[in-house]
Structure formats: C-alpha cells, structure tokens
Amino acid sequence: MAKKTPLTPEEVTELFAQLDDSGVLDPGGPHRKRTRRTIDPLSDEDPSGSNVDHAISRAAMAVIIGVLLLVLGMQLWYGISRRLNTANLSDTANAQTVSLALEGGVEWGNGFTQFPHDFTVEEADERTGIVEVSVVDTESSNELELFSNSQIQAAALATNALLNDNINQVVYNVSARLDEDGNITYDHLFGLLPAQGEEGVIFTFVWTKYRSGDSANIDWELRIIGMDEDIAGRIQEQVNSVSSLIDTPGIDQDDFDAQRSELDLERELLGGEQYLGGPAEKYPEDVRPQE
C-alpha cells in the first residue's frame, strides 16, 4: 500500500480556500469572490448575525415591567378603595357603609385593620346613634390571640365610626368556634381546612361616646362584657399578666344579662340632647316598666 505524500503548504492553503465561513465546501471554489467577516471571540454579538437573544431580553423586560405596573395599579386602587370606605363610614353610617368597611378594612394608624370575613351588621342607624356588628373569628388559635385581635378590630371600627357626629355607641360582638372541650378551633392550610365546632359568643366590646353640653370634652368609654371566669382564666394563663380584663372576677350569666339590660337602658335613654346638647330628655323612671 503506497504511502500518501504530505501536502505542501501551498496545497493546504489552496484546499482551505475552497471552504466558506461555515466550514462547508464552496462550490464556487477559490475563484468565487466572497466576503469574509472578521469574528471577534470576545464580542457579545452572535457570529451568525441572529438577534433572537435581544428579542427575548426585550420581551422578558416588557413582561416584568407590565407585572410591576399591574401590581402597583392594584395596590393603588385597593388603597383608594379602602380610604373611601373609611371616609364613607365617618361621614355616613348605615348598613352598606359598615359592610364595606368590614369587607375592605378600615384605616388605623399607618395601615389598615382587617376584619373576619364572616360578619353580620346587626344595626347601623344614625337616628339611634348605634352601630352593632357580630363577627366570627376563625383565625385566632387561642383565647389570648382572639382577645388581642378582637380588641384591635373593635378599636379601629369604633374610632372610625365614632368620628361620625351622629354615632354614639359601637358594639362589637366576637364569636368563635369551639370543640367539645370548649377549646377554640381555627382554620388550617390557608383556610382550606375550616374551623370546626359549635359557634359561641366569647365577649363583646362596647365603645360609648359621651358629650356634655356644659363641657367641650368628649369622653370615650370601653366596656368588655360577656367574658366569663373560664375564658379570663385561660387568658391569664397564656399571658401571665392579665389581671384586669373584667370588672368582677367571677362574672356569670346573670351578670351578663344585667349588663345587657343596662346597655338596652342606655339606648332607650338617648334623646335629642345627643344632637343638640343640654340636659337629658329622658330619665330611667321614664323608660323602665312600672311595677
């Protein structure tokens, strides 16, 4: 078998001259005039001249900017909606404005206070000056969390409602779901597993605004009713520093009924003085049944 003779440098040059830029044999041979491109290995440019990477980058940037603008627009719309709800509640208190405030939250401090999604507007009337709502909390895991969250919610709602000149009292009834042992149950897995058990009223926050015709001061009073000894004891065990949650250490059903009767009496005593000032128009003996 004959050995192949190595190519001379001239033959090698002539052979590679027949290849184009992609390494394919050029049918035109070395006699066809070609445009040679200078390729810089350090350049970001695609040697093939394709601009696909730039198109992908521009599309990705457009998507990211679009998402950011959408999120910003939603936050702006949600904030304006919440502030309108708060403003409406302070200006006009009725079933609709109170429901909107409970759904969207009310402005409180530098943010907003949310309320349980399960709520009922019992009363919202500027003629009686009373706003009363009932909520079912299924997010708090124990009595301490329920008390803390509900106190903030009641204060936020009462503050915004009592800024209305025609509202003098806000009643915030708090219920929870209890298991067979009387323990509070709550939602799991972002609400996919809802709280189970029988619904029961735990306590009620009553905010009352007093205005005297002889004074420029406006007094606000908070009363917490319905908290029994067992609930108060559990909260004391959980926080170890709660000593004055209730006025009496052993409130029972009779005390609760008496406080409810006193609350109803306060409503019946409200007269024109709440709008015009001056002395009271009604007295307890005028509204109590005659014996």
Side-chain angles (χ1 to χ4, degrees):
M1 183 176 181
K3 296 183 179 180
K4 293 183 179 181
T5 304
L7 298 176
T8 64
E10 290 78 9
E11 293 175 336
V12 172
T13 301
E14 182 180 357
L15 177 62
F16 277 93
Q18 301 178 18
L19 302 177
D20 59 12
D21 294 338
S22 61
V24 180
L25 182 64
D26 187 358
H31 305 291
R32 189 176 68 86
K33 185 177 181 181
R34 293 180 307 217
T35 303
R36 298 181 179 272
R37 293 196 307 268
T38 302
I39 300 176
D40 185 0
L42 301 180
S43 175
D44 294 333
E45 299 293 334
D46 191 333
S48 64
S50 174
N51 294 322
V52 175
D53 56 339
H54 297 289
I56 294 176
S57 299
R58 288 194 297 268
M61 288 298 297
V63 170
I64 294 174
I65 294 175
V67 171
L68 292 177
L69 291 177
L70 178 62
V71 172
L72 181 61
M74 293 179 61
Q75 289 181 340
L76 182 61
W77 176 85
Y78 196 43
I80 293 175
S81 176
R82 278 181 159 183
R83 282 173 171 80
L84 287 177
N85 292 342
T86 300
N88 291 337
L89 182 60
S90 301
D91 180 66
T92 303
N94 54 42
Q96 180 180 7
T97 57
V98 173
S99 296
L100 288 174
L102 292 175
E103 288 177 0
V106 296
E107 192 170 8
W108 184 240
N110 293 328
F112 284 85
T113 296
Q114 291 290 116
F115 297 91
H117 59 83
D118 188 358
F119 66 86
T120 303
V121 179
E122 307 289 351
E123 181 180 1
D125 195 340
E126 293 185 355
R127 294 171 297 181
T128 61
I130 297 173
V131 171
E132 181 174 359
V133 302
S134 299
V135 301
V136 181
D137 190 317
T138 58
E139 296 183 358
S140 302
S141 60
N142 54 50
E143 290 78 8
L144 179 59
E145 287 187 14
L146 180 65
F147 182 81
S148 176
N149 295 336
S150 301
Q151 188 177 36
I152 294 174
Q153 294 162 6
L157 179 66
T159 300
N160 285 274
L162 292 177
L163 289 176
N164 189 319
D165 293 335
N166 297 324
I167 299 299
N168 299 304
Q169 191 170 80
V170 176
V171 181
Y172 193 79
N173 302 302
V174 182
S175 299
R177 296 195 177 277
L178 308 175
D179 60 16
E180 296 179 354
D181 298 327
N183 298 316
I184 293 176
T185 63
Y186 59 98
D187 297 339
H188 294 79
L189 295 177
F190 305 101
L192 297 178
L193 298 177
Q196 303 295 325
E198 185 178 356
E199 179 181 323
V201 179
I202 307 301
F203 32 65
T204 298
F205 296 87
V206 181
W207 283 87
T208 307
K209 178 177 65 179
Y210 297 101
R211 179 179 298 170
S212 174
D214 301 330
S215 173
N217 297 330
I218 300 177
D219 298 327
W220 290 19
E221 178 188 76
L222 168 63
R223 295 175 58 199
I224 305 173
I225 61 176
M227 183 185 295
D228 59 21
E229 185 176 3
D230 183 41
I231 295 296
R234 293 187 183 186
I235 295 178
Q236 288 177 345
E237 292 178 358
Q238 292 161 3
V239 74
N240 294 326
S241 62
V242 180
S243 59
S244 59
L245 295 179
I246 54 178
D247 296 333
T248 57
I251 188 169
D252 55 18
Q253 186 62 39
D254 293 336
D255 295 326
F256 178 76
D257 294 338
Q259 290 172 334
R260 270 296 188 183
S261 299
E262 184 178 350
L263 180 60
D264 294 337
L265 177 61
E266 291 179 358
R267 295 179 179 178
E268 295 178 2
L269 288 175
L270 293 176
E273 73 279 356
Q274 63 176 315
Y275 305 106
L276 305 176
E281 296 181 357
K282 300 178 183 178
Y283 296 93
E285 57 270 16
D286 297 331
V287 297
R288 287 176 177 170
Q290 299 294 332
E291 296 181 358

